[in-house]
Amino acid sequence: MSVSPDKRRKMESALEQLKKYTVVVADTGDFNAIEEYKPQDATTNPSLILAAAKMPAYQHLVEQAIKFGVAKGGTKEEQVTNAMDKLFVTFGLEILKKIPGRVSTEVDARLSFDKEEMVSRAQRLISLYEEAGIRKERILIKLSSTWEGIQAGRELEEKHGIHCNMTLLFSFAQAVACAEAHVTLISPFVGRILDWYKENTERKNYEAQEDPGVLSVTKVYNYYKKFNYSTVVMGASFRNTGEVKALAGCDLLTISPGLLGELSKDHSAVSCSLTPEGAKECDLEQIHLDEKAFRWLHNEDRMAVEKLSDGIRKFAADAVKLETMIKERMFNAKNGQ
């Protein structure tokens, strides 16, 4: 007996329905949480790696990274930096065992305004992956979407064939500059945009279709598809499943294990909200940005300026915490304490 489409849909979870329209990505450093939801790709950042590195299940990976840093030698700072890079790559390697696609590994946020150093660090991360037998095609290097970060992305893509995921993206100016740099992928932050509006305006509640983060990503998606940019859009930083479902059809969505769990238990209908055909009908004008125009247009968006700065500071603070943890374990162990 055949099952009607309506009934079949009711049997399917929102997560299963979403996967028909969008590539689902797991946003976590806890790779044991990945297997359950079978995402295509996974993303990490310094905050997620810090959280995972504190878990008892992953202490052996922290030890591996520390041993690597010590074996490489050099100054204390160089040993810690090498251990940090190795730790990020080691988590990435474990995640790649669980997924068919790509993992995103982030360059230190403290380099967000240093193009040359971002390029150099990205190449080092890729070489660590390649030494472990992983081709660079399975890695996305995450860079902050500052002007310098975007130009680092351009250089890595054009000259080195290294694919980039531009993160901490909040403004239309950032999205346009990334598209013009021909980077592989952008990660606009849906939930953090919502957070700002709740904190800085009278309004505290939004339906998903009115959510300022959802509206921002929808505009960027439509702009990219209308003007045939190769860069793809991966919505990130979700606060609730309503935001996720409102962006069904987006190229990719990276979702925390908690929200993946909610979506897997939700059996409401998910319809495709974003399509290339719909984008072609949108009333959007194409713009081009040099550095001066980028800085002006981005600066006009108070929310984006504040959230980009705040995001860099938070990722940098978590990188420092992770570094401190490694430093203490590395040098206490060496001193036999």
Side-chain angles (χ1 to χ4, degrees), residues 56-302:
Y58 301 130
Q59 291 317 297
H60 65 293
L61 300 182
V62 179
E63 288 305 321
Q64 270 180 39
I66 288 170
K67 282 180 184 164
F68 175 85
V70 171
K72 291 288 275 186
T75 65
K76 283 188 175 184
E77 285 71 26
E78 286 166 343
Q79 289 179 48
V80 171
T81 298
N82 284 325
M84 286 275 283
D85 286 346
K86 183 66 171 176
L87 184 63
F88 276 63
V89 168
T90 301
F91 270 92
L93 291 168
E94 293 298 325
I95 289 167
L96 286 169
K97 293 175 187 174
K98 316 269 185 185
I99 58 170
R102 304 168 296 187
V103 70
S104 291
T105 298
E106 190 148 345
V107 165
D108 193 325
R110 291 170 290 179
L111 304 176
S112 294
F113 303 100
D114 187 334
K115 178 194 150 193
E116 284 70 28
E117 199 54 43
M118 279 186 273
V119 169
S120 169
R121 186 65 71 87
Q123 290 177 289
R124 192 152 83 220
L125 290 168
I126 291 294
S127 71
L128 286 171
Y129 274 112
E130 288 180 336
E131 284 166 24
I134 299 295
R135 294 174 294 110
K136 64 186 176 185
E137 286 74 23
R138 291 198 71 196
I139 311 303
L140 287 168
I141 293 293
K142 282 177 86 174
L143 301 164
S144 300
S145 297
T146 55
W147 177 259
E148 296 80 3
I150 295 165
Q151 300 319 307
R154 181 196 293 273
E155 185 170 316
L156 287 164
E157 298 268 5
E158 282 179 6
K159 295 188 179 172
H160 306 288
I162 292 172
H163 301 304
C164 297
N165 168 355
M166 303 308 301
T167 190
L168 295 174
L169 193 144
F170 302 96
S171 72
F172 188 62
Q174 289 174 295
V176 170
C178 286
E180 295 196 312
H182 306 293
V183 296
T184 297
L185 180 150
I186 62 165
S187 293
F189 277 35
V190 181
R192 292 198 200 184
I193 293 176
L194 175 65
D195 294 345
W196 189 91
Y197 278 90
K198 283 184 171 181
E199 287 162 15
N200 291 279
T201 67
E202 295 301 310
R203 190 164 174 185
K204 304 304 172 195
N205 294 299
Y206 292 85
E207 291 299 316
Q209 302 302 335
E210 306 170 301
D211 184 306
V214 170
L215 295 176
S216 175
V217 175
T218 299
K219 180 181 178 182
V220 170
Y221 173 91
N222 287 336
Y223 183 82
Y224 278 22
K225 297 298 180 266
K226 184 176 176 75
F227 298 109
N228 300 311
Y229 288 108
S230 59
T231 302
V232 294
V233 180
M234 179 169 71
S237 151
F238 292 101
R239 295 294 174 260
N240 55 67
T241 57
E243 289 179 326
V244 175
K245 292 190 282 187
L247 289 170
C250 192
D251 299 307
L252 308 94
L253 297 173
T254 185
I255 307 165
S256 68
L259 291 180
L260 287 171
E262 287 183 40
L263 288 164
S264 70
K265 295 182 184 78
D266 175 356
H267 290 271
S268 62
V270 176
S271 56
C272 189
S273 303
L274 305 182
T275 65
E277 298 74 29
K280 298 290 183 194
E281 304 303 315
C282 286
D283 184 22
L284 291 166
E285 284 187 26
Q286 191 169 22
I287 60 171
H288 301 286
L289 300 176
D290 59 11
E291 182 179 353
K292 290 173 188 172
F294 165 83
R295 292 193 186 281
W296 177 259
L297 188 58
H298 178 70
N299 193 65
E300 286 287 278
D301 187 336
R302 183 184 146 208

Side-chain angles (χ1 to χ4, degrees), residues 20-37:
K20 293 177 183 174
Y21 309 124
T22 290
V23 173
V24 170
V25 179
D27 195 21
T28 182
D30 177 8
F31 49 80
N32 290 328
I34 288 173
E35 281 180 293
E36 191 178 344
Y37 304 111

